[in-house]
């Protein structure tokens, strides 16, 4: 039996709200009970399993209301986002790798830039950017703000390969002067270019899914198995320790033993930028909206199967063997303490996977 009665006390203070707030007295292992529990507004859901100090926010339907302060800037940013003439050979735009039909990611392990060049990491979805400021941008957090991030792929030799000192001049040649004047009453420079792209990026929203419909009150939108998966995501699976809130990310950086130290795909994440041992192997928590369309997953793009991802989380993210002659830093255990073996059954892992597919 798995009863929860945390809200009962409130009945003592107010008899009227007692009727509303009383949680269902039922067995959460029964599908009917789970459905009844999760059909209530999320503030009455069972408390998620998160460790002390995790300031989680509850999962939430996508807020589709877009507040636009500067319409001209958003339109300009959108035009720039889709314009391949910002790249050195006129072939690659932001949208080449951040494709709207793929959750603003792409389907390659690593993306292709100008002349077929490849970088070392998987293109992340941009569906979380609207949901507020994060601790940093890129998998390793090397950009402080979305505005600063936005011009970096333009300069990246593996991406758009356009030297930034030539970029404003290029945009003048392409006839963008009037648009910048109208949007910012300012000349074309790296700051206004970054600002325009960021203004557009913040208007991007995930598509509405069955999960949103469920959260908005269509309780038949999810199957019993998917609701069970939602419950596991929030409780036994411990996923809410890092993937929470509307965009399903804490915007922070964690080590999940995915450095591939000493092997082909070695990537030490944030540590490569800061050289701070605390940052060893840390990567940014991606948002999980649009997951079905952003395959493959993780910073390396090596995971192609969601059930497999659930499986390695269940095992507690085991670490590969480190060569005996490695430096001390590589030998230490850097796994985030929020990651623990989960002891889920096969059926539980299947249900959790089904839930992820509704995102
Ligand atoms: C050649 C493919 C490619 C192109 C072109 C490209 N990106 Fe990216 N983008 C990536 C990859 C790969 C990453 C992750 C790189 C990393 O973390 O080191 C990324 C990361 C990002 C992020 C970070 C998201 C986050 O939450 O940390 C943003 C924002 C972004 N790109 C926006 C843009 C914009 C704006 C443009 C156009 C000016 C652009 N990208 C062009 C592949 C691309
Ligand atoms: C300690 C924080 C943490 C916890 C707990 C956690 N994740 Fe993650 N998750 C991350 C980070 C960080 C990444 C990216 C790691 C990387 O690329 O090296 C990630 C990546 C993912 C991805 C790949 C997304 C993409 O777009 O590439 C999926 C799917 C995912 N997590 C699902 C889950 C599920 C399901 C759970 C619960 C069983 C969970 N996570 C628990 C931090 C966490």
């Amino acid at each position: 039996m798995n009863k929860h009665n945390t809200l009962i006390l409130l009945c003592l203070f107010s008899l009227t709200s007692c009727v509303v707030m009383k949680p269902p007295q039922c067995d959460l292992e029964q599908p009917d009970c789970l459905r009844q529990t999760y059909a209530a507004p999320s503030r009455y859901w069972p408390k998620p399993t998160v460790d002390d100090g995790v300031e989680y926010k509850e999962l939430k339907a996508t807020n589709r209301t877009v507040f636009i302060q500067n319409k001209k800037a958003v339109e300009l940013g959108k035009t720039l986002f889709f314009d391949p003439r910002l790249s050195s050979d006129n072939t690659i735009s932001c949208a080449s790798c951040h494709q709207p039909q793929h959750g603003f990611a792409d389907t390659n392990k690593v993306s292709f830039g100008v002349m077929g060049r490849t970088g070392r990491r998987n293109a992340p979805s941009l569906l979380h950017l609207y949901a507020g400021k994060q601790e940093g941008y890129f998998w390793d957090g090397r950009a402080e703000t979305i505005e600063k991030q936005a011009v970096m792929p333009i300069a990246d030799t593996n991406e758009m390969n356009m030297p930034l000192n030539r970029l404003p001049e290029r945009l003048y040649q392409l006839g963008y002067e009037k648009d910048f004047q109208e949007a910012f009453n300012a000349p074309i420079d790296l700051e206004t270019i970054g600002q325009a792209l960021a203004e557009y990026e913040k208007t991007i929203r995930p598509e509405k899914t069955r999960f949103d419909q469920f959260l908005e009150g269509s309780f038949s939108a999810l199957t019993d198995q998917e609701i069970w998966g939602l419950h596991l995501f929030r409780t036994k699976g411990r996923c809410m320790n890092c993937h929470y809130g509307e965009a399903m990310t804490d915007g922070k950086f964690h080590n999940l033993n995915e450095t591939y130290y000493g092997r082909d795909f070695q990537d030490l994440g944030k540590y490569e930028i800061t050289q701070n041992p605390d940052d060893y192997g840390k990567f940014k928590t991606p948002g999980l909206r649009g997951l079905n369309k952003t395959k493959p997953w993780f910073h390396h793009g090596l995971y192609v199967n969601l059930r497999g991802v659930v499986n390695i989380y269940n095992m507690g993210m085991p670490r590969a063997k480190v060569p005996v002659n490695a430096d001390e830093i590589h030998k230490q255990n850097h796994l985030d303490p929020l990651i623990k073996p989960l002891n889920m059954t096969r059926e539980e892992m299947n249900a959790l996977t089904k839930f992820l597919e509704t995102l």
Side-chain angles (χ1 to χ4, degrees):
M1 289 289 272
N2 186 358
K3 285 188 181 167
H4 62 101
N5 42 17
T6 42
L7 292 165
I8 298 289
L9 255 186
L10 293 165
C11 299
L12 300 174
F13 302 106
S14 154
L15 212 66
T16 40
S17 62
C18 179
V19 184
V20 191
M21 300 188 87
K22 198 173 163 185
Q25 288 301 290
C26 57
D27 178 359
L28 283 172
E29 273 159 37
Q30 297 304 319
D32 287 349
C33 174
L34 267 184
R35 184 173 286 277
Q36 189 188 336
T37 304
Y38 280 91
S42 60
R43 58 186 177 282
Y44 306 128
W45 289 357
K47 204 182 146 341
T49 306
V50 294
D51 288 4
D52 287 348
V54 174
E55 292 173 1
Y56 76 96
K57 295 192 187 71
E58 196 44 81
L59 304 178
K60 226 171 130 192
T62 299
N63 179 359
R64 315 206 71 80
T65 319
V66 183
F67 289 106
I68 296 182
Q69 281 174 331
N70 186 340
K71 190 155 173 278
K72 293 275 186 213
V74 172
E75 280 167 6
L76 171 59
K78 185 170 182 180
T79 311
L80 295 172
F81 192 89
F82 288 90
D83 191 342
R85 297 173 304 174
L86 273 55
S87 67
S88 62
D89 64 359
N90 298 315
T91 59
I92 302 289
S93 72
C94 309
S96 306
C97 307
H98 301 285
Q99 302 168 3
Q101 70 275 28
H102 289 294
F104 286 82
D106 65 17
T107 52
N108 301 310
K109 185 158 66 78
V110 295
S111 308
F112 292 97
V114 293
M115 298 176 280
R117 290 180 192 165
T118 50
R120 63 198 285 236
R121 292 183 183 147
N122 182 253
S125 150
L126 305 184
L127 296 175
H128 55 284
L129 294 180
Y130 78 96
K133 190 167 159 36
Q134 298 162 11
E135 273 185 10
Y137 296 86
F138 285 122
W139 284 108
D140 54 19
R142 66 187 182 277
E144 268 164 62
T145 63
I146 321 184
E147 286 78 8
K148 286 187 187 156
Q149 189 283 333
V151 295
M152 293 162 75
I154 305 180
D156 193 315
T157 49
N158 289 324
E159 299 189 337
M160 297 164 76
N161 191 31
M162 171 70 76
L164 290 183
N165 56 8
R166 280 177 39 209
L167 182 63
E169 179 199 322
R170 173 75 155 236
L171 293 185
Y172 275 113
Q173 283 164 3
L174 294 172
Y176 274 110
E177 183 171 11
K178 188 161 160 275
D179 299 310
F180 276 85
Q181 275 302 333
E182 285 176 3
F184 303 111
N185 199 18
I188 306 181
D189 58 26
L190 297 182
E191 210 171 301
T192 48
I193 297 168
Q195 219 177 323
L197 284 163
E199 289 297 322
Y200 166 62
E201 289 177 302
K202 286 186 261 182
T203 67
I204 296 173
R205 293 288 187 282
E207 275 168 42
K208 209 175 193 157
T209 68
R210 289 193 291 117
F211 181 48
D212 291 291
Q213 289 167 6
F214 180 83
L215 292 169
E216 287 165 356
S218 306
F219 300 122
S220 57
L222 296 188
T223 65
D224 287 347
Q225 192 188 26
E226 288 160 350
I227 297 173
W228 187 23
L230 162 63
H231 180 59
L232 292 165
F233 185 91
R234 296 181 63 264
T235 54
K236 193 172 178 182
R238 301 178 49 81
C239 313
M240 288 278 284
N241 276 293
C242 305
H243 297 283
Y244 55 67
E246 198 168 321
M248 304 181 83
T249 165
D250 57 2
K252 297 188 164 92
F253 296 80
H254 302 276
N255 178 305
L256 263 52
N257 275 345
E258 292 290 328
T259 56
Y260 283 75
Y261 173 70
R263 286 173 289 162
D264 280 357
F265 296 100
Q266 176 174 321
D267 189 337
L268 306 181
K270 201 169 182 207
Y271 173 74
E272 291 184 7
I273 307 299
T274 64
Q275 303 297 315
N276 177 349
D278 291 344
D279 291 334
Y280 186 91
K282 281 189 179 171
F283 293 91
K284 181 167 162 177
T285 312
L288 299 183
R289 290 307 201 127
L291 207 54
N292 263 347
K293 296 178 176 163
T294 65
K295 178 179 168 172
W297 299 287
F298 278 65
H299 73 270
H300 41 53
L302 293 172
Y303 292 133
V304 294
N305 180 307
L306 272 186
R307 181 62 174 76
V309 170
V310 168
N311 211 36
I312 51 160
Y313 271 117
N314 195 50
M315 295 191 294
M317 293 285 172
R319 183 156 73 136
K321 267 216 172 83
V322 173
V324 274
N325 58 354
D327 289 348
E328 194 47 40
I329 178 104
H330 304 294
K331 287 188 190 152
Q332 286 162 19
N333 173 23
H334 298 272
L335 179 63
D336 197 295
L338 293 170
I339 297 286
K340 292 173 183 152
L342 303 171
N343 290 314
M344 285 193 283
T345 63
R346 195 165 291 173
E347 285 69 31
E348 287 175 326
M349 287 191 271
N350 290 343
L352 177 53
T353 308
K354 287 287 179 208
F355 167 65
L356 295 176
E357 287 169 359
T358 70
L359 299 174

